[in-house]
Amino acid sequence: GERYILGTANYKYADWMRMIAEVVGAARPRMRTPGWALPPLAALFDALRGLGLKLPVDGNQTRLGGQDIYFDFSKGWSELGAPQIEMRQSVEDTYRWYAEHGYVKQDLVAKVIDVLGQPLR
């Protein structure tokens, strides 16, 4: 009957995205979106998803991207034990599992995001 927040560490959003990009071999974002632009972008993403366009993020993720949110894992650590795997290893294992089970696809949206993330030449 208990609930726990399970995790290994808190990361700034930019560090989290950088880690994921490195693990999956994708270009990481090269420019930061200003905080004032996140609410209109979130509304746009929600509208586009409402029209059936498959986007890799939704409005809630976009709005949260501008926030520093931290979690307290102490209850889980004290009652269940400290994490046995570093976060990067967990991301690598998760990505590998998704790829092995056909959940990682190189569709048009993924290709556009990859192109947009490439450094300017």
Side-chain angles (χ1 to χ4, degrees):
E2 296 287 326
R3 293 181 185 204
Y4 301 89
I5 297 175
L6 303 178
T8 62
N10 283 297
Y11 292 93
K12 289 193 172 281
Y13 191 73
D15 295 335
W16 180 236
M17 292 296 104
R18 185 174 14 266
M19 181 191 313
I20 293 170
E22 289 170 0
V23 167
V24 305
R28 62 179 197 224
R30 67 173 181 255
M31 63 183 217
R32 188 174 173 94
T33 305
W36 60 263
L38 294 175
L41 280 173
L44 174 64
F45 293 161
D46 284 340
L48 291 172
R49 288 182 124 210
L51 294 172
L53 185 62
K54 293 184 180 185
L55 299 175
V57 296
D58 64 20
N60 289 330
Q61 293 167 313
T62 303
R63 282 184 279 280
L64 287 173
Q67 306 296 315
D68 287 331
I69 300 171
Y70 298 97
F71 298 94
D72 181 358
F73 311 121
S74 60
K75 179 181 175 184
W77 288 17
S78 66
E79 294 184 27
L80 304 173
Q84 304 297 309
I85 299 173
E86 290 295 322
M87 196 64 205
R88 182 180 177 99
Q89 182 64 53
S90 182
V91 172
E92 289 171 359
D93 293 345
T94 300
Y95 178 70
R96 185 173 32 261
W97 186 92
Y98 274 89
E100 289 170 358
H101 290 85
Y103 293 103
V104 177
K105 297 181 175 40
Q106 282 299 321
D107 60 6
L108 179 61
V109 173
K111 290 176 184 173
V112 168
I113 289 170
D114 194 43
V115 168
L116 291 174
Q118 295 299 320
L120 296 174
R121 298 179 210 270

